[in-house]
Amino acid sequence: NGKKMSKSLGNFFTLRDLRGFDLRAVRYNFLLAHYRDKLNFSLSSLKQCQTVIDGFDEFVQKLRGAGAENKEIPKLLQKFKSDVLKHFDNDLDTPKALAVIHKFLHKINGFLDKGNLGEKNAREIISVLSELNSFLGVFRFEFDDVIPKDVLELGPAEGVFAKALLDQLPEITYTTLDFCEGHAELQK
């Protein structure tokens, strides 16, 4: 709300408040503000960031259904990567870098909608996004064995995470690999 977060003002968030949000959405929310600027954190802005992250996931999945090769893509990719890195090199200007990413994804979506993007193009795009993602951490490229979102939203409430999984999903088995201080890693 434009004010400093503090317990005494009652305008602070705990990790419990973030339950149900993809951690990439939280990261994306932080990246929207330049590190020298103040960040106005709210659950409504986090919901918007979750929508963006869901859009990123949808984009990556759409790349799998690519059509004909497009000879423009290598040149576009080179400029895209150069522009993003230019903003990172300029005092780590993440908001401008994210704007370049959105503009690029919009252009590529246009090619996808027209069937003007081939498998090789898609692999090249994934490769560049993966490289940028090594420090952004907002894209996901693996979808086959991801734990369903409704399972993750069950949360580790009062240490009954595994029981909730068994009760809610009797046909799917997940085992807890690590459970420490409210963090669970699951394996299908």
Side-chain angles (χ1 to χ4, degrees):
N1 300 335
K3 296 180 182 176
K4 180 180 176 181
M5 279 191 189
S6 75
K7 194 171 184 179
S8 63
L9 293 176
N11 64 350
F12 70 99
F13 296 96
T14 66
L15 290 177
R16 285 190 206 283
D17 298 323
L18 305 181
R19 196 178 306 164
F21 289 102
D22 189 317
L23 293 179
R24 295 175 301 140
V26 176
R27 182 178 295 122
Y28 183 84
N29 196 22
F30 292 143
L31 291 171
L32 284 174
H34 190 274
Y35 75 92
R36 293 178 189 261
D37 296 337
K38 290 182 180 180
L39 170 70
N40 191 17
F41 188 87
S42 68
L43 290 179
S44 64
S45 68
L46 194 55
K47 287 177 187 173
Q48 291 171 352
C49 291
Q50 183 63 57
T51 301
V52 171
I53 293 298
D54 292 343
F56 286 169
D57 290 349
E58 186 179 316
F59 173 82
V60 170
Q61 288 177 316
K62 273 176 68 174
L63 282 175
R64 293 179 175 182
E69 294 299 316
N70 186 329
K71 294 179 183 185
E72 290 180 59
I73 297 301
K75 187 176 179 181
L76 284 173
L77 267 174
Q78 185 178 15
K79 179 167 175 26
F80 163 66
K81 184 178 173 183
S82 170
D83 289 349
V84 171
L85 293 177
K86 176 182 73 175
H87 291 301
F88 281 123
D89 288 342
N90 183 17
D91 198 26
L92 197 61
D93 196 344
T94 56
K96 287 184 181 175
L98 290 172
V100 170
I101 291 170
H102 282 282
K103 186 176 177 181
F104 176 76
L105 297 184
H106 181 74
K107 185 162 188 79
I108 297 302
N109 262 323
F111 290 136
L112 282 167
D113 291 344
K114 294 175 185 173
N116 293 336
L117 195 84
E119 283 185 42
K120 181 181 177 198
N121 297 141
R123 283 192 307 273
E124 292 168 338
I125 292 167
I126 293 291
S127 175
V128 170
L129 289 177
S130 181
E131 185 179 337
L132 296 173
N133 199 52
S134 66
F135 43 91
L136 287 171
V138 294
F139 288 98
R140 181 173 70 190
F141 302 102
E142 303 287 328
F143 293 94
D144 297 335
D145 295 325
V146 174
I147 299 169
K149 189 174 181 178
D150 57 333
V151 174
L152 291 175
E153 288 174 354
L154 296 173
E158 285 76 3
V160 295
F161 192 90
K163 181 172 178 1
L165 287 173
L166 292 174
D167 293 344
Q168 295 292 321
L169 301 167
E171 72 281 0
I172 300 174
T173 303
Y174 289 92
T175 57
T176 303
L177 294 176
D178 181 25
F179 189 77
C180 177
E181 297 179 28
H183 173 73
E185 291 183 24
L186 301 177
Q187 181 177 2
K188 189 172 183 179

